[in-house]
Amino acid sequence: VQLQASGGGLVQPGGSLRLSCAASGSIFSISDMGWYRQPPGKQRELVATITSGDSTNYADPVKGRFTISRDNAKNSVYLQMSGLKPEDTAVYYCNLVARPRSFSLPLSYWGQGTQVTVSS
C-alpha cells in the first residue's frame, strides 16, 4: 500500500488549503484514516481522524477550522484547512489503517508528508 499526499504550500495567515492523500496498491479494506503533523523541532501530533463509519475526531487546536473527509471509492482522505495560523506550519502526514488482503491483519501506513507553511 502506497500513500501519496499533495496540496501543501505557502499560505498567508487566515488563508485556506486542501490536502489530499490517495492510497494505491493492494488494498482489501481501509478502516481509520487520518492526518498528523510535525511542526519544526517538535514531535508528530494528531490533527484529525475519520473512521470507516465517518466518525471524526479533531485535535483541540484545529477544531472549527479543519475538516477531514474521505472518499472510499477513491481510497482517499482529505483535509480542508481554513483560518490558517502560523502555528499550523508543519509537515502534514496522512495515515491509514488497511488490510492489504482479506486474510491480512490491519496495518498502519504513512504518506511521505507535505509541507504547509503559514506566513505573511
Side-chain angles (χ1 to χ4, degrees), residues 17-29:
L17 280 176
R18 185 176 188 250
L19 304 183
S20 300
C21 178
S24 61
S26 176
I27 301 172
F28 174 75
S29 65

Side-chain angles (χ1 to χ4, degrees), residues 1-3 22-28 75 100-101:
V1 178
Q2 297 82 42
L3 275 64
S24 61
S26 176
I27 301 172
F28 174 75
N75 291 332
R101 299 277 193 273

Side-chain angles (χ1 to χ4, degrees), residues 4-115:
Q4 181 67 47
S6 61
L10 173 64
V11 63
Q12 293 186 342
S16 299
L17 280 176
R18 185 176 188 250
L19 304 183
S20 300
C21 178
S24 61
S26 176
I27 301 172
F28 174 75
S29 65
I30 299 174
S31 54
D32 293 352
M33 306 179 85
W35 289 94
Y36 293 72
R37 67 186 182 187
Q38 187 165 13
K42 297 184 178 181
Q43 292 186 335
R44 192 173 299 187
E45 61 188 25
L46 169 73
V47 176
T49 60
I50 183 168
T51 69
S52 57
D54 287 336
S55 294
T56 58
N57 178 57
Y58 295 93
D60 286 343
V62 308
K63 283 181 179 177
R65 299 188 297 122
F66 291 10
T67 301
I68 189 170
S69 60
R70 62 191 286 170
D71 185 334
N72 294 324
K74 296 181 179 180
N75 291 332
S76 295
V77 61
Y78 309 97
L79 187 67
Q80 179 67 46
M81 304 184 293
S82 60
L84 283 161
K85 306 175 181 180
E87 51 263 44
D88 294 319
T89 295
V91 178
Y92 283 71
Y93 297 90
C94 57
N95 171 266
L96 62 83
V97 177
R99 296 167 63 193
R101 299 277 193 273
S102 60
F103 51 82
S104 302
L105 293 174
L107 298 173
S108 180
Y109 297 91
W110 292 91
Q112 84 282 10
T114 184
Q115 177 70 46

